[in-house]
């Protein structure tokens, strides 16, 4: 063994001790609230990745897409027809397309009313609230009602909330928060959004 191998072995032993101690400490078993925020690319795709994980184990999953007008993305063809998945799509397009606050607000309310029963159903393992941060930002939903629904959800249920500029109180309440940083984006270099990559 070279010196470097010996040093590596020692370092790995130390690391294993630290990891084992951390694993031993994490004993609580409950669902978690995950927030995926920030300006970079990868928030919605991360949520769908977790949907795939849950469905893979036969769990029930409910997804609500706030903002999006149609469920027009590659994921749909993979997941559509899965009896364990229910997807609700808010019925209007992007807000800068509809430009009608009252219409958007109504659509948001309807989407939220459809989502609430899932947040109360202990048979649902995972609920995804995609792009919900904008609903809070525009004042279509109140932070209090969202937090109340999260707090009253079944103990083993996890919820993923995505979108830029997540509300401070939501970040504080969540168990896991990831901020996707926009270091670079192809779009800003003039490259068109692509089927199979961006939707
Ligand atoms: P994705 O759905 O690819 O995971 P996202 O959910 O992180 O992206 P959104 O803010 O919801 O990002 O953006 C939706 C669309 O805008 C996607 O097509 C995405 O690829 C694109 N996009 C994401 N981040 C950026 C960015 N920083 N600049 C330009 N376009 C972006
Ligand atoms: Mg998104």
């Amino acid at each position: 063994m070279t010196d470097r191998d010996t040093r590596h072995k020692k370092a790995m032993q130390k690391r294993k001790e630290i990891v084992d101690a951390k694993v031993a400490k994490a004993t609580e078993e409950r669902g978690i609230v995950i927030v995926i925020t920030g300006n970079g690319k990868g928030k919605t795709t991360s949520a769908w990745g977790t949907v795939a994980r849950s469905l893979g184990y036969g769990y029930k999953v409910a997804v609500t897409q706030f903002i999006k007008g149609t469920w027009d993305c590659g994921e749909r063809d993979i997941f559509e027809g899965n009896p364990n998945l229910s997807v609700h799509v808010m019925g209007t397009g992007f807000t800068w397309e509809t430009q009608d606050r009252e219409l958007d607000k109504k659509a948001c309310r309807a989407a939220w009313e459809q989502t609430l029963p899932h947040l109360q159903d202990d048979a649902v393992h995972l609920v995804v609230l995609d792009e919900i941060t904008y609903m809070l930002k525009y004042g279509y939903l109140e932070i209090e009602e969202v937090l109340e629904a999260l707090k009253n959800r079944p103990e083993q249920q996890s919820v993923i909330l995505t979108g830029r500029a997540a509300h401070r109180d939501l970040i504080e309440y969540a168990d896991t928060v990831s901020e996707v940083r926009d270091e670079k984006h192809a779009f800003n270099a003039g490259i068109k959004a692509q089927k199979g990559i961006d939707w």
Side-chain angles (χ1 to χ4, degrees):
M1 237 197 260
T2 64
D3 275 1
R4 188 167 179 194
D5 292 339
T6 313
R7 279 204 311 275
H8 178 82
K9 194 175 164 72
K10 251 192 161 159
M12 287 301 119
Q13 273 169 349
K14 186 86 199 141
R15 175 121 307 271
K16 183 169 158 48
E17 276 169 29
I18 293 167
V19 172
D20 286 353
K22 273 194 182 163
V23 170
K25 254 178 109 177
T27 52
E28 204 181 332
E29 282 185 45
R30 63 166 176 89
I32 58 169
V33 171
I34 303 171
V35 172
I36 319 256
T37 190
N39 294 334
K41 171 176 165 61
K43 298 175 291 294
T44 298
T45 42
S46 165
W48 278 110
T50 312
V51 169
R53 278 193 178 163
S54 278
L55 290 176
Y57 285 107
Y59 291 129
K60 277 195 184 333
V61 178
V63 177
T64 300
Q65 285 190 321
F66 293 91
I67 290 244
K68 300 265 165 62
T70 55
W71 188 22
D72 186 18
C73 55
E75 297 91 276
R76 184 187 52 199
D77 296 343
I78 294 282
F79 296 115
E80 199 171 41
N82 187 314
N84 287 327
L85 175 68
S86 80
V87 177
H88 299 296
V89 180
M90 201 169 102
T92 58
F94 285 88
T95 41
W96 51 89
E97 280 172 4
T98 60
Q99 296 166 7
D100 185 337
R101 204 166 173 274
E102 271 315 303
L103 193 79
D104 282 354
K105 199 171 179 175
K106 266 197 198 130
C108 172
R109 270 285 133 209
W112 179 244
E113 298 302 329
Q114 279 188 310
T115 309
L116 274 176
H118 297 298
L119 288 166
Q120 292 156 0
D121 181 354
D122 64 7
V124 176
H125 185 72
L126 173 68
V127 177
V128 173
L129 307 174
D130 192 34
E131 322 292 358
I132 194 172
T133 58
Y134 308 105
M135 303 301 107
L136 295 166
K137 221 177 149 172
Y138 300 148
Y140 300 165
L141 282 178
E142 299 301 323
I143 183 68
E144 291 80 14
E145 61 186 328
V146 172
L147 286 178
E148 191 186 296
L150 292 177
K151 284 174 186 166
N152 292 324
R153 78 191 195 281
E155 208 187 333
Q156 299 305 321
Q157 184 180 85
S158 289
V159 182
I160 303 179
L161 304 96
T162 84
R164 296 170 191 211
H167 194 288
R168 200 188 309 121
D169 297 353
L170 184 60
I171 287 179
E172 193 174 308
Y173 178 69
D175 300 289
T176 295
V177 178
S178 292
E179 166 137 9
V180 183
R181 194 164 57 88
D182 183 25
E183 176 137 350
K184 256 182 150 185
H185 197 287
F187 178 71
N188 295 328
I191 301 166
K192 269 174 97 167
Q194 290 172 56
K195 185 173 163 184
I197 302 294
D198 294 298
W199 75 86

